[in-house]
Amino acid sequence: MNEHPITEPGLVDLHSHTNESDGTFTPAELIAAASAARLSALAITDHDTFSGYDIAKPLAAAAKLQLICGIELNSKLVLKPGTHRSAHVLAYFPGGQAGSAFLEWLQAQRAERRQRNSALAERLQNEGMDVTLEEVERLGRSLAGRPHFAKLLVKKGYATDTEEAFQRFIGEEAPTFVDRQSPTTETVIDVIRGGGGIPVLAHPVRLWLSHDATEERVIQRLAAAGLIGLEVAHSDQDAALQAYYQQLAKKYKLLPSGGSDFHGDLKPDIQLGSGRNGNVQAPRSFLDGLLSANIAVTA
Ligand code: AMP
Ligand code: FE
Ligand code: FE
Ligand code: ZN
């Protein structure tokens, strides 16, 4: 179990995962950890599923913790023809649920994820590894992802730890990597807004851009496409980067957001509410700003 340091009063964590996606804490454990850390609000943002949020909702009410309905989605950020990056987009639904068009679209995303998982299992089998989709899926709950592949690869002795599994077999640089067929970032932003959600670009550092004019143009372009917020505070962004993204957010009229991206024991150096060595301190004003964002609901 991770330890739960007490955070400053009034801090929020707007990015966290349960074991319904690739976190290791149950929704109940996550709510208990958020209460122990004295968070003023928590958003559950599992990959491609609301199951963790749905389970946590009554538990949060009982614990008198403000819980925000969220999700984290994959997208393809096209930089130029033939070159793209994987971009994660967080969506927050202040009303507690997404519109029906969004939920239908989400089903298709989950089907596509399963397709990818199936192709990835096949790639690994072709390399002589004994890894089936069924075994991987048994390690997950609502959905399986690459962390579940990593767990199986470690369990079967093909890798010594998660990091090695990603490096050698399932990470973006690995020879057996299988990419997802995700919609473009612009489409994902559109679908979120159509479902009554507030789109926020997650951990911009993981776009692997060079914090120069190219990165700035990308942020400007996404703001023009309807993006509402930018994840300024994140465990993978140090103080200098957080200052950089804060300034970009201001320049392009995006709302600053922040969260630890807590995954429990999958990423044991990250603490709920405070990130890596306390590098995430998301003030309540981040949440208040997002909740008052005046978004057009088109669905
Ligand atoms: P998927 O959504 O199934 O493609 O899996 C992506 C998830 O894998 C990310 O959201 C992270 O939680 C996790 N992940 C990606 N790279 C690593 C890594 N090098 N070590 C541990 N977890 C990782
Ligand atoms: Fe994850
Ligand atoms: Fe992410
Ligand atoms: Zn995340």
Side-chain angles (χ1 to χ4, degrees):
M1 277 294 248
N2 293 43
E3 283 170 36
H4 314 303
I6 307 294
T7 46
E8 296 290 316
L11 291 183
V12 300
D13 192 330
L14 302 179
H15 191 161
S16 70
H17 297 269
T18 74
N19 67 343
E20 291 295 324
S21 69
D22 59 359
T24 64
F25 276 34
T26 63
E29 288 167 344
L30 191 64
I31 294 302
S35 298
R38 305 263 188 277
L39 287 178
S40 147
L42 172 77
I44 292 181
T45 54
D46 276 319
H47 302 280
D48 297 348
T49 178
F50 289 114
S51 297
Y53 168 78
D54 290 339
I55 297 168
K57 198 176 166 182
L59 307 172
K64 298 197 167 29
L65 172 75
Q66 185 180 9
L67 182 67
I68 307 298
C69 174
I71 200 161
E72 183 170 18
L73 303 162
N74 255 52
S75 77
K76 178 190 276 206
L77 179 72
V78 179
L79 294 177
K80 57 183 184 203
T83 307
H84 74 269
R85 296 285 152 84
S86 156
H88 286 179
V89 184
L90 295 161
Y92 300 102
F93 297 89
Q97 62 189 47
S100 56
F102 181 89
L103 294 175
E104 225 166 90
W105 176 85
L106 189 60
Q107 288 286 4
Q109 300 311 300
R110 279 204 287 264
E112 183 281 323
R113 168 185 280 281
R114 191 152 195 267
Q115 238 354 85
R116 189 283 312 262
N117 287 347
S118 168
L120 181 54
E122 204 177 309
R123 279 301 298 267
L124 297 172
Q125 281 160 24
N126 290 343
E127 294 300 312
M129 282 170 263
D130 173 29
V131 169
T132 66
L133 178 62
E134 290 68 30
E135 284 173 296
V136 172
E137 287 187 334
R138 251 182 270 133
L139 294 177
R141 288 178 60 85
S142 291
L143 61 81
R146 283 183 288 157
H148 302 103
F149 276 88
K151 205 169 176 183
L152 190 65
L153 289 166
V154 171
K155 193 172 139 200
K156 296 205 167 188
Y158 297 119
T160 54
D161 56 23
T162 303
E163 211 44 54
E164 193 193 328
F166 271 90
Q167 265 177 26
R168 290 183 57 197
F169 305 118
I170 59 177
E172 281 176 42
E173 309 297 328
T176 40
F177 172 68
V178 178
D179 207 356
R180 282 185 66 174
Q181 302 299 310
S182 298
T184 64
T185 310
E186 282 85 349
T187 298
V188 170
I189 289 169
D190 244 21
V191 176
I192 292 170
R193 292 190 61 154
I198 299 166
V200 172
L201 182 66
H203 41 67
V205 67
R206 286 206 225 145
L207 295 176
W208 308 112
L209 296 171
S210 311
H211 318 316
D212 55 7
T214 306
E215 182 155 6
E216 196 157 332
R217 273 196 300 275
V218 164
I219 299 300
Q220 182 174 29
R221 186 182 116 197
L222 297 182
L227 187 69
I228 303 258
L230 186 66
E231 195 172 51
V232 166
H234 182 275
S235 302
D236 288 347
Q237 294 166 185
D238 64 16
L241 268 182
Q242 292 189 24
Y244 170 71
Y245 288 121
Q246 178 79 47
Q247 161 260 321
L248 275 193
K250 190 163 180 225
K251 186 163 176 186
Y252 295 105
K253 298 193 166 49
L254 292 169
L255 298 171
S257 185
S260 62
D261 205 355
F262 181 73
H263 280 76
D265 303 332
L266 176 70
K267 300 179 181 181
D269 54 332
I270 294 174
Q271 306 279 340
L272 186 68
S274 57
R276 208 173 249 130
N277 297 320
N279 68 347
V280 173
Q281 305 283 315
R284 170 96 216 164
S285 60
F286 282 4
L287 175 60
D288 294 340
L290 291 172
L291 292 183
S292 62
N294 187 19
I295 58 164
V297 178
T298 54

